[in-house]
Amino acid sequence: MSEKIIVIGESRDNVLRNVTFEAIAAAKKVNGDAEVVGVLCGADDLGTQAQEMIYYGADRVVTVKNEKLATYTSDGYGQAVLSVIEDENPDGIIMGHTAIGKDLTPKIASKLEAGLISDAVDIEVDGDEVVFTRPIYSGKAFEKKVISEGLVFATVRPNNIAALDRDESRTGDVQDKTVEISDLRTVIKEVLRKATDGVDLSEAKVVVAGGRGVKSADGFKPLYELAEVLGGAVGASRGACDADYCDYSLQIGQTGKVVTPDLYIAVGISGAIQHLAGMSNSKVIVAINKDPEANIFNVADYGIVGDLFEIVPLLTEEIKAL
Ligand code: FAD
């Protein structure tokens, strides 16, 4: 990856997700001198988002507007992005390791017979080599991958590579590209959304996660209060989801979401290996558990042994009083 790197932007409700800006920073880490070309797809006007990508470091942005791109499908976005790649002939392509990134990049990479380094948490340059670090064995170890030759796709895990500061003095061209999208094999008839509390769990800087120790759906209320005062999101163990205390969309772990917040507060969670796979790379981990032998304390930076129903409301009050 060197001279030209494409960064595929991802948005929700026409607002770019932070991981797009982190992917731009990742491209700059690969090669600070490379031309970084943003790519945006959608059915609405993409000008504002394109401008944001430039403020965060993209040199130029190509937008593909088409009514068939109103909702993500790997088919539609695949055709659009492939067409831009054919025009641009980049040395590398980077996007977020999100549900869309995990779906789209292998599809296009396989079509182009290109390599793919997924879920990178760090990128370093060592002499002539670009070294990507990625977790393996459910986060128990890390491997380092080096690109030997050819076109390479990479996805970056949200919240690991810091975005550049937003700078409105940065300028760059926005080019609208017309792509004929053939009839989609997948037709999205309706998108049903769950009501959320505003903060996206995958990108939250603070996560308060509850486990089976929370004991009921009502037991999650103090966790929501703590998350609110910290400006964070609520997550859960599979134990809590299986027990119907909360929705599976909150599940963190090997078969749930992978999060890397600045602060992860595990409340009434034992710390099973499958749960750790989704949160052990959090920057600071606080565990609240009444069992001093609970495995979660082995990965925690700070541990509080005690009853969560006493500790969580106290924490909320103390933080409110700050
Ligand atoms: P428990 O293990 O029951 O722990 C509850 C904890 O709460 C205990 O440590 C207890 O001491 C504490 N507690 C109880 N009462 C209180 C109190 N009043 N105050 C303080 N502490 C209290 N799990 C995941 O989380 N995510 C996954 O993605 C996932 N994927 C899986 C995939 C596979 C293939 C398999 C086999 C399992 C998977 N699991 C996953 C399940 C995992 O193995 C555990 O069963 C699950 O994480 C346990 O959830 P828990 O910690 O909430 O419950």
Side-chain angles (χ1 to χ4, degrees):
M1 277 196 196
S2 51
E3 283 109 32
K4 190 193 281 186
I5 301 174
I6 279 184
V7 170
I8 304 170
E10 196 185 326
S11 64
R12 187 171 290 167
D13 297 330
N14 293 327
V15 176
L16 282 169
R17 299 187 70 183
N18 274 339
V19 73
T20 299
F21 309 133
E22 294 167 2
I24 294 171
K28 296 276 182 196
K29 281 190 118 184
V30 169
N31 181 352
D33 296 328
E35 183 188 22
V36 177
V37 181
V39 177
L40 288 167
C41 304
D44 297 326
D45 183 48
L46 296 161
T48 309
Q49 291 177 47
Q51 203 53 57
E52 279 303 307
M53 284 187 88
I54 290 166
Y55 292 158
Y56 277 94
D59 297 298
R60 183 160 65 82
V61 178
V62 179
T63 63
V64 184
K65 191 176 156 191
N66 187 307
E67 61 183 30
K68 290 182 182 150
L69 302 174
T71 310
Y72 172 78
T73 59
S74 56
D75 188 9
Y77 275 54
Q79 292 182 51
V81 173
L82 204 54
S83 171
V84 177
I85 291 172
E86 279 162 6
D87 281 2
E88 296 286 340
N89 193 21
D91 300 280
I93 296 114
I94 302 186
M95 87 174 286
H97 193 69
T98 58
I100 291 180
K102 284 186 252 184
D103 188 54
L104 185 63
T105 50
K107 182 186 166 89
I108 310 176
S110 65
K111 276 210 158 144
L112 295 171
E113 297 190 354
L116 168 63
I117 297 175
S118 66
D119 203 14
V121 293
D122 196 15
I123 298 167
E124 291 156 308
V125 176
D126 184 7
D128 288 344
E129 291 184 328
V130 181
V131 185
F132 290 77
T133 305
R134 63 183 299 276
I136 51 171
Y137 301 124
S138 300
K140 275 190 277 183
F142 291 89
E143 67 173 356
K144 292 190 183 282
K145 293 252 183 195
V146 174
I147 300 164
S148 49
E149 56 176 10
L151 178 68
V152 172
F153 284 70
T155 58
V156 290
R157 185 181 283 205
N159 281 338
N160 277 269
I161 295 168
L164 306 179
D165 289 337
R166 184 176 186 277
D167 180 352
E168 289 194 14
S169 71
R170 286 195 185 109
T171 54
D173 282 349
V174 178
Q175 297 155 308
D176 300 326
K177 179 176 162 58
T178 306
V179 179
E180 288 300 322
I181 309 277
S182 62
D183 282 347
L184 300 179
R185 287 186 295 263
T186 314
V187 177
I188 308 283
K189 292 202 166 166
E190 194 183 357
V191 177
L192 299 174
R193 291 222 186 155
K194 286 191 188 331
T196 59
D197 304 295
V199 185
D200 179 350
L201 180 56
S202 308
E203 294 195 338
K205 297 284 178 207
V206 178
V207 172
V208 181
R212 207 156 16 210
V214 173
K215 294 194 173 62
S216 66
D218 267 359
F220 263 80
K221 282 185 186 155
L223 277 66
Y224 276 99
E225 284 160 17
L226 179 57
E228 196 182 338
V229 295
L230 290 168
V234 169
S237 70
R238 177 155 141 190
C241 301
D242 284 345
D244 220 9
Y245 303 163
C246 55
D247 190 84
Y248 279 103
S249 60
L250 301 191
Q251 185 186 318
I252 290 164
Q254 188 181 321
T255 44
K257 292 196 166 77
V258 174
V259 297
T260 327
D262 293 340
L263 173 62
Y264 188 90
I265 307 180
V267 184
I269 292 177
S270 58
I273 186 71
Q274 296 90 351
H275 186 76
L276 302 188
M279 47 63 72
S280 60
N281 289 328
S282 303
K283 294 190 183 69
V284 175
I285 298 171
V286 176
I288 303 169
N289 198 301
K290 66 178 183 184
D291 174 8
E293 301 297 322
N295 190 47
I296 192 77
F297 289 124
N298 291 324
V299 295
D301 299 285
Y302 299 94
I304 305 173
V305 178
D307 185 348
L308 68 93
F309 297 102
E310 289 172 21
I311 294 162
V312 173
L314 272 177
L315 270 179
T316 307
E317 286 315 311
E318 286 296 323
I319 292 162
K320 265 188 195 162
L322 288 176

